[in-house]
Amino acid sequence: MEVLQLSQLNIDPSSVLSSCEPELQDLMRQIDLIIQQQKRDWEMELQLVQNRLKRREEELMISRNLMEQRDLEVRSLCKRLEQQQGLLFEYERRLLDISEEVLKTCCTRVFRSVGYLI
């Protein structure tokens, strides 16, 4: 519509465009600067996020390794506990056998001293 109006006024539309060309170029430069700045901002933010992710992955790896170590320690301690419980059971059985033997011996002596035989 403007073109028609300009032609009706006997103004060449290309002259109007050429007259605003410096403004358009300046506007394009400003847009380019804004885009470049936004790109730098995004790249910095991306780098920060990637660094944070890398640290978290390293922390996760350390935690997993520590958990595996702890798991091995727990297994080892459980095995030792089972062995020691087995020894304890054996010692208790031997103690019971010895106690019975001592009781028999004492009773036999007591009965012999009073004249009874078992």
Side-chain angles (χ1 to χ4, degrees):
M1 177 108 177
E2 268 184 50
V3 175
L4 292 176
Q5 291 175 353
L6 290 175
S7 61
Q8 290 172 352
L9 296 173
N10 287 332
I11 300 177
D12 183 16
S14 63
S15 68
V16 173
L17 288 178
S18 63
S19 71
C20 27
E21 187 171 335
E23 293 170 348
L24 285 172
Q25 287 179 349
D26 185 51
L27 182 61
M28 291 300 292
R29 269 193 301 276
Q30 289 177 16
I31 291 171
D32 284 344
L33 289 174
I34 290 170
I35 289 173
Q36 288 173 5
Q37 182 61 43
Q38 186 65 51
K39 181 182 176 193
R40 281 192 299 269
D41 291 347
W42 285 342
E43 286 173 343
M44 276 187 359
E45 187 176 342
L46 176 64
Q47 186 65 39
L48 288 172
V49 168
Q50 286 174 336
N51 289 341
R52 206 174 313 138
L53 176 63
K54 184 178 178 182
R55 279 194 312 272
R56 296 282 161 77
E57 287 175 340
E58 289 170 353
E59 289 172 2
L60 179 62
M61 182 183 240
I62 289 169
S63 295
R64 282 184 178 159
N65 288 339
L66 188 59
M67 270 181 39
E68 287 175 9
Q69 278 182 327
R70 297 291 188 254
D71 185 52
L72 289 175
E73 288 177 29
V74 166
R75 289 180 190 189
S76 173
L77 290 172
C78 285
K79 188 174 182 177
R80 280 183 56 197
L81 178 63
E82 287 175 10
Q83 291 170 344
Q84 298 212 351
Q85 284 175 336
L87 286 175
L88 179 62
F89 177 76
E90 182 62 28
Y91 291 149
E92 287 176 343
R93 189 186 60 74
R94 285 183 188 172
L95 182 60
L96 185 61
D97 290 346
I98 291 171
S99 296
E100 289 175 356
E101 192 64 38
V102 167
L103 186 60
K104 274 185 189 178
T105 304
C106 285
C107 287
T108 303
R109 285 186 184 167
V110 167
F111 286 128
R112 279 187 187 161
S113 67
V114 282
Y116 296 105
L117 291 176
I118 299 180

